[in-house]
Amino acid sequence: MKLTIKIIVLTCIVLGLSESANAQQYLYEIGPTAGASFYSGDANNYAYFQKPQSVFGISLRRNFNFRTALKLDLLSANAAYDPIKENLPDPNVASKTINYFDANAHLEYSFFSYSDSFEYKETRRFTPYIFTGIGTNFVNGSVIPYLPIGVGIKYKIFHRWSVGLEYSANMMFKDNFEGDPSLDNPYKANSSIFKNNDWVSYLKFNLTFDFWERGCRCNKNK
């Protein structure tokens, strides 16, 4: 996890130093985000999109250039499971809904130069993108870090307004997301973190507004 943080910080520094060559008109975007969350773990190993729950919050994006950005999310979320089909070692594990908070930061890379201006630089008002970073869940009195990996699309509906849809799979670095000791590695398996820890995925809609215009305004409408 420390290596991931160092990579993100180093990448942000490099992008910040090089952003002036291909910079968007506005430095930041902010707006609401909302959608569905899906739990996958010891109490739900097979039905990956079972029992969708709500997730909502606010997003802040720092645009380095037309293709790269750093996005911060602050979220309030729920996750639920019904272990009836899991044949767990403890037959008394009951269905549960988990309420938690999520703070995450990730780097985005867009496949096209994203803007509704600067046509002379072959920008587009629509682009798919990929992202990864680091996040933290605050749940059951515990702090659980995770690695988000995802894809998304965004579209500039008006000048300064964008809508987007993104999906992320969030791999946690611990196995106690449920807050139930009987679900902390119940099979006593010695496998990799990819198989032995909990996951939560998000499917979210975003609406953002551009603000903090850059100093140079030359050729922005050409």
Side-chain angles (χ1 to χ4, degrees):
M1 185 177 69
K2 291 182 178 179
L3 178 61
T4 302
I5 295 174
K6 289 179 180 178
I7 292 173
I8 292 174
V9 172
L10 180 60
T11 304
C12 289
I13 293 173
V14 173
L15 293 173
L17 292 174
S18 62
E19 65 177 343
S20 59
N22 292 287
Q24 289 204 27
Q25 183 178 350
Y26 296 93
L27 287 170
Y28 297 98
E29 301 174 41
I30 193 170
T33 181
S37 65
F38 308 90
Y39 158 83
S40 177
D42 295 305
N44 179 31
N45 279 310
Y46 303 105
Y48 295 111
F49 296 100
Q50 182 188 53
K51 298 183 76 67
Q53 299 293 304
S54 64
V55 55
F56 62 92
I58 189 168
S59 294
L60 175 67
R61 181 183 281 117
R62 169 60 159 94
N63 295 308
F64 295 110
N65 51 50
F66 291 131
R67 295 203 177 196
T68 52
L70 174 68
K71 188 156 80 76
L72 307 177
D73 285 341
L74 295 176
L75 307 171
S76 175
N78 301 306
Y81 58 82
D82 183 357
I84 190 170
K85 298 181 180 180
E86 294 301 323
N87 193 27
L88 293 165
D90 183 354
N92 297 316
V93 175
S95 301
K96 184 178 180 180
T97 298
I98 304 167
N99 309 112
Y100 65 100
F101 294 97
D102 180 333
N104 64 76
H106 57 246
L107 287 169
E108 296 179 357
Y109 177 79
S110 297
F111 288 93
F112 305 132
S113 295
Y114 183 65
S115 178
D116 64 339
S117 304
F118 304 97
E119 294 181 2
Y120 68 101
K121 291 189 175 182
E122 298 182 347
T123 58
R124 303 187 187 187
R125 60 193 308 146
F126 166 84
T127 184
Y129 61 91
I130 56 176
F131 61 89
T132 188
I134 193 71
T136 302
N137 290 326
F138 302 89
V139 55
N140 300 316
S142 299
V143 177
I144 304 178
Y146 70 85
L147 175 69
I149 303 172
V151 297
I153 54 174
K154 53 187 177 181
Y155 179 72
K156 187 79 71 173
I157 51 174
F158 304 111
H159 186 58
R160 303 180 71 173
W161 288 95
S162 295
V163 294
L165 174 68
E166 64 181 36
Y167 173 81
S168 65
N170 307 318
M171 181 191 70
M172 301 183 207
F173 293 103
K174 295 182 180 180
D175 193 33
N176 60 339
F177 179 73
E178 303 90 352
D180 185 340
S182 66
L183 292 174
D184 188 354
N185 193 12
Y187 303 102
K188 308 304 178 185
N190 294 318
S191 59
S192 69
I193 61 173
F194 294 98
K195 295 182 179 180
N196 201 40
N197 289 345
D198 300 314
W199 293 68
V200 169
S201 57
Y202 297 143
L203 180 65
K204 299 192 287 92
F205 292 94
N206 306 313
L207 174 66
T208 59
F209 175 76
D210 299 349
F211 69 101
W212 204 306
E213 189 171 13
R214 297 177 187 271
C216 178
R217 306 178 66 177
C218 53
N219 295 325
K220 68 177 182 181
N221 294 317
K222 292 185 178 181

